[in-house]
Amino acid sequence: MGQAGCKGLCLSLFDYKTEKYVIAKNKKVGLLYRLLQASILAYLVVWVFLIKKGYQDVDTSLQSAVITKVKGVAFTNTSDLGQRIWDVADYVIPAQGENVFFVVTNLIVTPNQRQNVCAENEGIPDGACSKDSDCHAGEAVTAGNGVKTGRCLRRENLARGTCEIFAWCPLETSSRPEEPFLKEAEDFTIFIKNHIRFPKFNFSNNVMDVKDRSFLKSCHFGPKNHYCPIFRLGSVIRWAGSDFQDIALEGGVIGINIEWNCDLDKAASECHPHYSFSRLDNKLSKSVSSGYNFRFARYYRDAAGVEFRTLMKAYGIRFDVMVNGKGAFFCDLVLIYLIKKREFYRDKKYEEVRGLEDSSQEAEDEASGLGLSEQLTSGPGLLGMPEQQELQEPPEAKRGSSSQKGNGSVCPQLLEPHST
């Protein structure tokens, strides 16, 4: 680049450019342009504002607590256990009533197990043998039930057998009932207490917020009653797309989803949960590990002080209660931008920033012995000011009092009151 080129480039840095508009007197082009403008405006008004409610502030950081209670009684009469009544303390695990709980519906009971020697179950590869040298003493059987003693036990004249093991004998039986052990479980009821809070708006609610307390003593959730928190167990299984008899035999996992999508511009009583149900495990899979089960034991001692136990393999239904949702709120926008006293409320909303500087100065004054003439409670509320400090409006701005409960906002004072 020559000297002239560099000089021209430097001079071009000081050029000023402005846009030139050309007005085309063409009806087709003009109509297309206005249609494009109208489409964008319609998108903003209909989709963003009316459907998606883009004018609202949204809080998705839902805080939730779930407490569950199962009720129901079952009666069984078996050769292993005799006549027995099963109540909630027997078939619900854990007993604390958490958001994940298990209801026993089927059992394989192996009573009177004692620590002794017996033959390992057939069908376990590491427990098979043809001579004693195949069973190394002190070696645990892989995927088996005990520790090898060094002996190979063969039935009659068979060439192969199983290793003798030291274990809880007799070993667990592999047979399973052809129908659910606790078939009455279909009529058990599940009571779900759910407390939620949207911290951004200081709004709280729960499924127990009903005026008629006797309502909970007789109601059941169903198509005609969407707000009752008491569910029939068999109905939940059916709504999840499964059959109780099938899932009760081998077990499974059911999800109960509680959705809170609340428009907090409305009354707190309009914020209701919505329930949905689904089968979470793969019910179509027929693998060895299909279903849901685990083992537990109850231990005893005989008159001689020797320990023995009753082993139970429990099949049942695991329930996972999942809570999510969002709360949408309009009042901040109204307070700060739309009403007459918006400058007053805007100053109050952003008072917290200045409050940090003031608190530092107050701390210095107190340390130097000046003291404080006034103490304010710390902790920002919904509008960024201390919750205990009363919001003092100019006299002409005060009118009425808020009737909305729970969202901690003064907006309802300035809007049309809700009918209650």
Side-chain angles (χ1 to χ4, degrees), residues 150-408:
R151 294 180 59 196
C152 180
L153 303 178
R154 295 186 299 272
R155 292 182 179 178
E156 298 177 354
N157 296 325
L158 295 178
R160 293 186 63 80
T162 58
C163 294
E164 182 185 68
I165 58 173
F166 180 73
W168 286 97
C169 302
L171 299 182
E172 178 186 271
T173 177
S174 59
S175 62
R176 186 174 58 197
E178 296 181 357
E179 63 179 18
F181 186 75
L182 299 181
K183 53 187 176 183
E184 294 93 337
E186 187 173 9
D187 294 319
F188 292 170
T189 59
I190 305 170
F191 178 30
I192 302 177
K193 293 193 291 184
N194 182 208
H195 303 266
I196 58 103
R197 179 174 181 268
F198 293 104
K200 189 173 184 179
F201 306 128
N202 194 28
F203 176 88
S204 300
N205 204 351
N206 64 82
V207 296
M208 299 288 293
D209 192 11
V210 294
K211 296 180 180 179
D212 186 8
R213 293 294 178 181
S214 62
F215 169 75
L216 295 175
K217 296 181 180 180
S218 58
C219 74
H220 282 84
F221 181 89
K224 296 182 180 180
N225 195 346
H226 294 286
Y227 302 129
C228 178
I230 300 175
F231 305 82
R232 180 178 173 270
L233 190 146
S235 299
V236 172
I237 302 301
R238 187 176 70 255
W239 293 327
S242 297
D243 179 73
F244 175 80
Q245 297 295 324
D246 293 339
I247 196 173
L249 273 177
E250 296 187 348
V253 184
I254 297 294
I256 301 176
N257 187 68
I258 306 178
E259 187 85 18
W260 294 83
N261 289 328
C262 298
D263 187 348
L264 303 185
D265 293 325
K266 300 179 181 178
S269 58
E270 296 297 320
C271 180
H272 296 295
H274 297 276
Y275 300 91
S276 60
F277 312 91
S278 59
R279 179 82 180 263
L280 300 182
D281 62 315
N282 188 1
K283 64 179 180 180
L284 300 178
S285 175
K286 295 298 181 181
S287 64
V288 177
S289 60
S290 62
Y292 190 91
N293 64 77
F294 62 90
R295 293 171 176 85
F296 65 96
R298 292 177 177 172
Y299 295 85
Y300 313 91
R301 288 188 182 275
D302 60 17
V306 179
E307 186 181 44
F308 67 99
R309 74 180 189 180
T310 297
L311 177 66
M312 299 185 183
K313 183 177 182 181
Y315 296 82
I317 307 167
R318 168 177 158 166
F319 293 91
D320 288 27
V321 182
M322 300 162 287
V323 183
N324 55 74
K326 62 182 180 180
F329 201 42
F330 180 63
C331 285
D332 255 11
L333 186 64
V334 175
L335 283 173
I336 299 173
Y337 298 107
L338 301 182
I339 65 174
K340 287 185 177 180
K341 303 299 178 181
R342 55 185 176 271
E343 294 181 1
F344 169 75
Y345 288 108
R346 191 182 300 121
D347 291 341
K348 286 295 182 181
K349 178 176 177 67
Y350 299 107
E351 188 178 33
E352 182 181 4
V353 177
R354 295 194 299 274
L356 294 175
E357 300 174 356
D358 296 341
S359 61
S360 299
Q361 182 62 40
E362 290 171 356
E364 294 177 3
D365 294 342
E366 184 176 3
S368 61
L370 295 177
L372 295 174
S373 60
E374 184 178 5
Q375 294 290 336
L376 296 179
T377 305
S378 63
L382 172 65
L383 300 178
M385 65 179 196
E387 294 182 349
Q388 300 296 328
Q389 181 182 4
E390 184 180 358
L391 184 66
Q392 298 294 335
E393 300 181 36
E396 64 273 20
K398 295 183 179 180
R399 56 186 191 120
S401 60
S402 174
S403 61
Q404 184 159 350
K405 176 184 177 183
N407 58 19

Side-chain angles (χ1 to χ4, degrees), residues 79-97:
S79 58
D80 293 329
L81 299 176
Q83 293 185 352
R84 178 165 182 162
I85 287 291
W86 297 76
D87 63 12
V88 64
D90 298 313
Y91 59 73
V92 174
I93 303 171
Q96 291 87 345

